[in-house]
Amino acid sequence: MSALRDLIQGEAELDDDSEEESYDEETGEVRRHGGPRKGVNGHIQDSSEEEEDDDDEEAQRQVREGFIVDEEDELDDDERRRRKKKRRREQREEEEANLDEEDLDLIGEANPNFERRAAAQPKLKRLKRGFKEDREPRVPRGVGDIFDSDEEEETRPYDRARPRGIEDEFADFIEEDFSGEEGQDGEPDDADVRRPVPRNFLQGAKAAAGMDETALEDLREAFGTGSEYDWALALQEEDQYDQRMLDVDDADALNKAIELKDVFEPSQLAERMLTEEDNMIRNNDEPERFQIVRKPYQHLELTPDLIKDEAIWVSNLILPKKDLDSRLHEPFRKSITKVLEFMVSEGYEVPFIFQHRKDYLIHAEQIPAIPDPYNPNAPEYVTRADKLLNQSDLWTVFDLDLKFRALVDKRNALQKTYDGLKDGVGITDEVFEEMLPAAVSMEELQDIQDYTQFQHSARLADLALINGSQLNGTQRRPGASRMIYERTRQSKVYALVRAFGISADAFAKNASKTSGSRQYTEDPAERPDDMADSDNVLDPPDFATGVQCLKAAKSMFAEEIVMSPRMRKVMRRAFYQSAVIDCYRTEKGLRRIDDQHPYYEFKYLRNQQLRDIARLPGRFLKMLRAEEEGLVEVKIRLEDYDSFKKKLYNDLESDNYSEIADAWNRERREALDIALVKLVKIIAKGVKEQIKDACENEIAKSCRDEYTKKLDQAPYKPKGMVLGTVPRVLAMSNGTGSFGRDAICWAWVEEDGRVFETGKFIDLAVGDRERGIEDGADVQKLVELISRRKPDVIGVSGFSAETRKLYKQIEDIVETKDLRGGEYEDEEGQDRSDKLEVVIVNDEVARLYQTSDRANHEHPGFAPLTKYCVALAKYLQNPMKEYASLGGDIISISFDPSQAYLPRDKLVRSLETAMVDMVNLCGIEINEAVSNAYYANLLPYVCGLGPRKSAQLLKVINMNGGSVSSRAELVADPEVGRMGAVGPKVWNNCASFLFIEFDSSEQDSDYLDNTRVHPEDYDLGRKMAADALELDEEDIAAETQDNGAGAIVRKLIKDDAQEKVNDLILEEYAEQLEKNFNQKKRATLETIRAELQQPYEELRRNFELLSTEEIFTMFTGETRDSLTEGMIVPISIKRVADDYIEAKLDCGIDGTVSALAISNRPDVSAKQLFSVHQTVRAKLTHLNRKTLTASFSLNENDLRIPYHKEIDHMVGEWDERQEEKDKESLQEKNDVSGRTQRVIKHPLFRPFNSIQAQEYLGSQARGDVVIRPSSKGPDHLAVTWKVSDNVYQHIDVLELDKSNQFSSGMTLKVGGKYNYSDLDELIVNHVKAMARKVDEIMLHDKYQNGSKADTERWLTTYTEANPKRSNYAFCIDPKNPGYFNLCFKAGLNAKLQSWYVKIVPQAFELQKNQYPDMRALCNGFKLLFSSIQQSKGMQRR
């Protein structure tokens, strides 16, 4: 039985074969992954033993409740009870079915993308099963059905519920894993006839495990067949039904509606934004983004005085970064104040402020004009306008507002704590009262909190006891050191502390140089040691000797200096003024960071000033990442620390000249030295975090700016069309295929986004009539397609350098066949057409789209490459829509080389602001968003809205009739029975960014609803239209009385007189508005004038074609840093001639080796040295980034010169001495080891170490392989393959039967039991076989993305929601490559357990048993677990 106990462990041990999979590359030592954990007796530690009593109690409870019963309690009338229970259950199903329908309908209304599943059967079988013809076929489950995966009875529409016997206890883990095709497809003819109860569950076990009849009979005798307790389970269900019938008599229970949280899991509700919190955000009339980010500060209200303080605080932070003239500083502060009033008091978002309060972001002033002698009537003054804030600045103000709220919140908490001390204990602290109002950062507030905790810890503890709780979260449990200081303060030794002659705060005032007069230090009349030995100081038993007393006094005085908030402020200011950053490699980094490593640029970096960090913020973030990996240590120090310390000595010491004064000054200096060690550590850590935050903000801003450039592109403009016209696109791609051999997919997309036609081409070679060469078979088909469809542009893209050949070929076809785009009318009124343009399209969105759920939903029958072409075409038609459709996947796109070092939330927020800006610049046609889900992706980014409010907006519009005829219809109108889509405050934010197309045939259609003009300014627009038409008041009254308020503008449009508004003098309008209504509207008037002439004019830049550098990176994946001239790179030889060699880089770039570059031996031909398909090292001598071609050198002399990347550093910033010393040390170690670099003739061989192999495979697909030299010696090879993202397995390959030291072995052995004849066989039958198994397990329904902890949380949540059910899931083990965790939880009160699943060639290995596929693995797990449970049950008996 001990073997059975060992079989089920909380963490199953790895088998002995784990050593074949991974080993230490640096030492050559074999690493054993997750070996068995030893207990005190040498056995494997079983953490489940301490919970056996709990298991027994659980079993007893189940017996009491009828879950398991004894045979002697069986009743004789069980059949009668079962039939009665069946009738009652069917009645109950009919009564409860409608409740679930209402909840599911609500889900569908709130989330248009939510798909109703066909009658999912709940655990209690609420829904009555219908007839055969009404049933829908079983469909594959998606992520949304994750919690339904184990409910077997719900997936078999004709099967009755199984009795909860022994089989059903473990059947919770998996679905019908034993069933075949007949079991899935077969149905009984009569829907009311149910399948009989399986009386012998062991028959299924026999089939799955291959057990013989004898073994099966032994199991029957030991454990029974599982049918002995059917009567008890039926009785239990009947009792539960009777209890439910009693509850029906309760009127409150009948009236209580079933809520969504009663039906769905919390995670499901959160995913669909249907939690209580989501409903509050949805219903609260406040911009959604405001509600989310301000949630922690809902209790905080910013008064007008606080807003003024905030304006000063924000201005002081932003102004130093703005290059503004001194005369603009005061207007800048006023502008910040107004912006904060708009955000805080009026609840306006950034796009609204930028669009409709633009006048407050500009400073305009009248300046005397230079007299013009030729124009005596020229104005005496001219207006000079200076832009104070741009849209990016507004987002900075928005972020700083959140920080200020956090600042005020913490300050209020500290003030409340101090008030409690003051009122409750009667304490007055001048330092606190002076420093708290002056604190302007969280660091300074934290200093004050630390000071309060240190200075008044005992009183805070007493006050907490009096109040019965801690004060506002600021009271912490004192540590041992804090208690020592408190004892010192309460003892007579504290008199010795006061004898230092100056307080810590007074010393800090001297150091800060801010006080008007110096605080002088007074010397006592006694020497320090004499005073320490006096009875006035000695305080036994803790302080029994003078030495102890003096040491405690110095330590206490040093700690007071450390805790002084004013002293910390002095130190922090000194660090910001003269901090220097040094980077030191660790012992781990000595070998790991070689000269080709990306971290080498700062391996020996020294003396970096803060301005250097600001110039290269990404490098500092990379340094911190390397520090996290243990490769370097980043240290911050003061540049002239000794000089700084001497100045502090002068501020602390007394000016007296005597032996006593000298003695006390020595003690003061020693105390200060103790304090400075702690202070430097504390302040340096804080400054380091602040620098990190500033660098992250700079990288986030860089990402935002780059994303803005990508979004700020109008649709590709066909020649002769106005900007904003959507083109008709023919998109083509050969994917990763070779041009001329593999298929070329294409898609034709109309201007409305519909895909009308798709297809494939193979041969597009252009012929040569002079040489008698015919065109390729598909050239005429392409010409016919273009002639028939008449595209405006052809878009081409792909995944390799071969795509450039396709691009050039299409250009040749267009040129030779004279293919032209659509006709247009030129300036002279003549119809003309230009040659059809072929462009290379940015495919960063298309690569994500082709395998996305959205692509599968929109085009389920298309091949992935065709979907890729569709995305290319849509990108040409509107890049912004394509980026918006990515949702959270947008962070997969690279905007900055250093964005990987940003926290995900910060990157997402930064990118979201760019999308918000651009969507509100373009506006949303609300009726199109209602009918077009693809277009509706932009709606959450509208000012005032978000994902919740936008979904609510669409829902209400559909409820109100499905369309909107005016902006006013978005708010509620009880008189006409119209529901409000948004509240008044949100409507003010979003109204001008949601436009309705003007229809001149509709009397109620308002032209201004189709413009960027806000409804609050409609009267200004109508007044301008009337003045442009020169209408008097009587004409205006007559026109509006007959045709409504919008009649004047309608008349302006009808008369085609929009250009007349250009004759209006808007300055006079603006002056009148500011004078009479105190409103600045000059910029707003300009917007109205422009909108009256061209409503919602396209303001984005022209579509930007890719640069040569961008095309190079897109097709090859390389950058200037990763591939440049001078590098030594591996090349694959494609052709060998006597005087030249053709080769190819891994990235797909073709190149040649000239005769002079082949070898320095002219007497030897290239064919004697090299062969086709050989992989060799070569120097890259020339790289043409436009044509994607290269030149290489194989000359030994060239290969001896290594490539050294130029590192950007000034004189004195690089430790050359340490670098040279490390190189000599590494050379000595290499000389001792005598290792020779091996080169294997195989296309997958690379001269990499383990780290380089992982970096190389990082961007490759799962299952890709690198063969490399082994650190174990010349008779070993290492094979590294990518298991998953950031998970790589290193396989040790032993070479046997070697002809010489440098050749490959004739027999390759892996793990001592797998033998292969060559590397190709090893790759296919070992690595690729395991990769297929990894794919199989990761694509299984039971696989969970995430860590083991995430999977265990999911299991816990599931069992909490389904207390009587069990579940299991697989997840990858990144610490043990090649292993997966099988996590399971056998019920609510059962403990979480996990077993290792090992991936071996062609199988999965669980508990040393191999299973060929996932179904067998699941069934095997079920049998293993059931047998273990049976064994434990036998032991208890």
Side-chain angles (χ1 to χ4, degrees), residues 163 198-200 224-231:
R199 289 292 176 182
N200 195 343
T225 63
S227 62
E228 295 85 358
Y229 307 114
D230 287 354
W231 62 271

PDB file of all heavy atoms in Angstrom, residues 163 198-200 224-231:
ATOM      1  N   PRO A 163     -26.009   7.596 -11.671  1.00  0.00           N
ATOM      2  CA  PRO A 163     -25.954   7.613 -10.199  1.00  0.00           C
ATOM      3  C   PRO A 163     -24.549   7.919  -9.747  1.00  0.00           C
ATOM      4  O   PRO A 163     -23.584   7.538 -10.406  1.00  0.00           O
ATOM      5  CB  PRO A 163     -26.368   6.189  -9.819  1.00  0.00           C
ATOM      6  CG  PRO A 163     -26.062   5.365 -11.031  1.00  0.00           C
ATOM      7  CD  PRO A 163     -26.283   6.250 -12.211  1.00  0.00           C
ATOM      8  N   PRO A 198     -25.487   2.465 -16.674  1.00  0.00           N
ATOM      9  CA  PRO A 198     -24.390   1.493 -16.837  1.00  0.00           C
ATOM     10  C   PRO A 198     -24.113   0.799 -15.524  1.00  0.00           C
ATOM     11  O   PRO A 198     -23.680   1.426 -14.562  1.00  0.00           O
ATOM     12  CB  PRO A 198     -23.201   2.364 -17.262  1.00  0.00           C
ATOM     13  CG  PRO A 198     -23.538   3.727 -16.792  1.00  0.00           C
ATOM     14  CD  PRO A 198     -25.022   3.847 -16.817  1.00  0.00           C
ATOM     15  N   ARG A 199     -24.392  -0.476 -15.493  1.00  0.00           N
ATOM     16  CA  ARG A 199     -24.274  -1.222 -14.246  1.00  0.00           C
ATOM     17  C   ARG A 199     -22.854  -1.639 -13.936  1.00  0.00           C
ATOM     18  O   ARG A 199     -22.538  -1.986 -12.823  1.00  0.00           O
ATOM     19  CB  ARG A 199     -25.152  -2.475 -14.305  1.00  0.00           C
ATOM     20  CG  ARG A 199     -26.630  -2.141 -14.241  1.00  0.00           C
ATOM     21  CD  ARG A 199     -27.003  -1.592 -12.889  1.00  0.00           C
ATOM     22  NE  ARG A 199     -28.388  -1.188 -12.840  1.00  0.00           N
ATOM     23  CZ  ARG A 199     -28.960  -0.635 -11.779  1.00  0.00           C
ATOM     24  NH1 ARG A 199     -28.240  -0.404 -10.696  1.00  0.00           N
ATOM     25  NH2 ARG A 199     -30.220  -0.284 -11.810  1.00  0.00           N
ATOM     26  N   ASN A 200     -22.025  -1.665 -14.904  1.00  0.00           N
ATOM     27  CA  ASN A 200     -20.668  -2.147 -14.667  1.00  0.00           C
ATOM     28  C   ASN A 200     -19.686  -1.182 -15.294  1.00  0.00           C
ATOM     29  O   ASN A 200     -19.365  -1.286 -16.460  1.00  0.00           O
ATOM     30  CB  ASN A 200     -20.493  -3.544 -15.261  1.00  0.00           C
ATOM     31  CG  ASN A 200     -19.246  -4.218 -14.715  1.00  0.00           C
ATOM     32  OD1 ASN A 200     -18.378  -3.547 -14.161  1.00  0.00           O
ATOM     33  ND2 ASN A 200     -19.163  -5.527 -14.883  1.00  0.00           N
ATOM     34  N   GLY A 224     -16.713  -3.852  -6.070  1.00  0.00           N
ATOM     35  CA  GLY A 224     -18.088  -3.838  -6.545  1.00  0.00           C
ATOM     36  C   GLY A 224     -18.172  -3.262  -7.945  1.00  0.00           C
ATOM     37  O   GLY A 224     -17.176  -2.964  -8.583  1.00  0.00           O
ATOM     38  N   THR A 225     -19.428  -3.129  -8.409  1.00  0.00           N
ATOM     39  CA  THR A 225     -19.657  -2.631  -9.772  1.00  0.00           C
ATOM     40  C   THR A 225     -20.138  -1.205  -9.796  1.00  0.00           C
ATOM     41  O   THR A 225     -20.286  -0.618 -10.865  1.00  0.00           O
ATOM     42  CB  THR A 225     -20.695  -3.509 -10.482  1.00  0.00           C
ATOM     43  OG1 THR A 225     -21.940  -3.398  -9.785  1.00  0.00           O
ATOM     44  CG2 THR A 225     -20.242  -4.952 -10.543  1.00  0.00           C
ATOM     45  N   GLY A 226     -20.423  -0.596  -8.628  1.00  0.00           N
ATOM     46  CA  GLY A 226     -20.867   0.790  -8.612  1.00  0.00           C
ATOM     47  C   GLY A 226     -22.373   0.947  -8.620  1.00  0.00           C
ATOM     48  O   GLY A 226     -22.885   2.052  -8.543  1.00  0.00           O
ATOM     49  N   SER A 227     -23.127  -0.166  -8.711  1.00  0.00           N
ATOM     50  CA  SER A 227     -24.590  -0.048  -8.777  1.00  0.00           C
ATOM     51  C   SER A 227     -25.257  -0.353  -7.446  1.00  0.00           C
ATOM     52  O   SER A 227     -26.482  -0.329  -7.357  1.00  0.00           O
ATOM     53  CB  SER A 227     -25.121  -1.002  -9.859  1.00  0.00           C
ATOM     54  OG  SER A 227     -24.804  -2.352  -9.521  1.00  0.00           O
ATOM     55  N   GLU A 228     -24.463  -0.618  -6.422  1.00  0.00           N
ATOM     56  CA  GLU A 228     -25.062  -1.026  -5.145  1.00  0.00           C
ATOM     57  C   GLU A 228     -25.793   0.119  -4.449  1.00  0.00           C
ATOM     58  O   GLU A 228     -26.637  -0.108  -3.594  1.00  0.00           O
ATOM     59  CB  GLU A 228     -23.967  -1.569  -4.209  1.00  0.00           C
ATOM     60  CG  GLU A 228     -23.290  -2.843  -4.694  1.00  0.00           C
ATOM     61  CD  GLU A 228     -22.152  -2.554  -5.659  1.00  0.00           C
ATOM     62  OE1 GLU A 228     -21.944  -1.351  -5.968  1.00  0.00           O
ATOM     63  OE2 GLU A 228     -21.498  -3.490  -6.094  1.00  0.00           O
ATOM     64  N   TYR A 229     -25.451   1.348  -4.792  1.00  0.00           N
ATOM     65  CA  TYR A 229     -25.977   2.484  -4.031  1.00  0.00           C
ATOM     66  C   TYR A 229     -26.960   3.316  -4.849  1.00  0.00           C
ATOM     67  O   TYR A 229     -27.212   4.464  -4.533  1.00  0.00           O
ATOM     68  CB  TYR A 229     -24.811   3.369  -3.571  1.00  0.00           C
ATOM     69  CG  TYR A 229     -23.737   2.612  -2.829  1.00  0.00           C
ATOM     70  CD1 TYR A 229     -22.463   2.488  -3.372  1.00  0.00           C
ATOM     71  CD2 TYR A 229     -24.013   2.006  -1.611  1.00  0.00           C
ATOM     72  CE1 TYR A 229     -21.483   1.777  -2.712  1.00  0.00           C
ATOM     73  CE2 TYR A 229     -23.032   1.302  -0.938  1.00  0.00           C
ATOM     74  CZ  TYR A 229     -21.769   1.178  -1.492  1.00  0.00           C
ATOM     75  OH  TYR A 229     -20.805   0.481  -0.838  1.00  0.00           O
ATOM     76  N   ASP A 230     -27.486   2.763  -5.933  1.00  0.00           N
ATOM     77  CA  ASP A 230     -28.419   3.537  -6.756  1.00  0.00           C
ATOM     78  C   ASP A 230     -29.639   3.979  -5.953  1.00  0.00           C
ATOM     79  O   ASP A 230     -30.122   5.104  -6.087  1.00  0.00           O
ATOM     80  CB  ASP A 230     -28.881   2.709  -7.961  1.00  0.00           C
ATOM     81  CG  ASP A 230     -27.769   2.577  -8.992  1.00  0.00           C
ATOM     82  OD1 ASP A 230     -26.720   3.219  -8.782  1.00  0.00           O
ATOM     83  OD2 ASP A 230     -27.956   1.852  -9.984  1.00  0.00           O
ATOM     84  N   TRP A 231     -30.143   3.090  -5.112  1.00  0.00           N
ATOM     85  CA  TRP A 231     -31.362   3.412  -4.362  1.00  0.00           C
ATOM     86  C   TRP A 231     -31.118   4.607  -3.427  1.00  0.00           C
ATOM     87  O   TRP A 231     -31.985   5.470  -3.258  1.00  0.00           O
ATOM     88  CB  TRP A 231     -31.804   2.191  -3.561  1.00  0.00           C
ATOM     89  CG  TRP A 231     -30.762   1.771  -2.536  1.00  0.00           C
ATOM     90  CD1 TRP A 231     -29.738   0.916  -2.720  1.00  0.00           C
ATOM     91  CD2 TRP A 231     -30.653   2.246  -1.193  1.00  0.00           C
ATOM     92  NE1 TRP A 231     -28.979   0.796  -1.592  1.00  0.00           N
ATOM     93  CE2 TRP A 231     -29.530   1.599  -0.630  1.00  0.00           C
ATOM     94  CE3 TRP A 231     -31.410   3.112  -0.416  1.00  0.00           C
ATOM     95  CZ2 TRP A 231     -29.130   1.837   0.669  1.00  0.00           C
ATOM     96  CZ3 TRP A 231     -31.031   3.339   0.885  1.00  0.00           C
ATOM     97  CH2 TRP A 231     -29.889   2.701   1.436  1.00  0.00           C
TER      98      TRP A 231
END
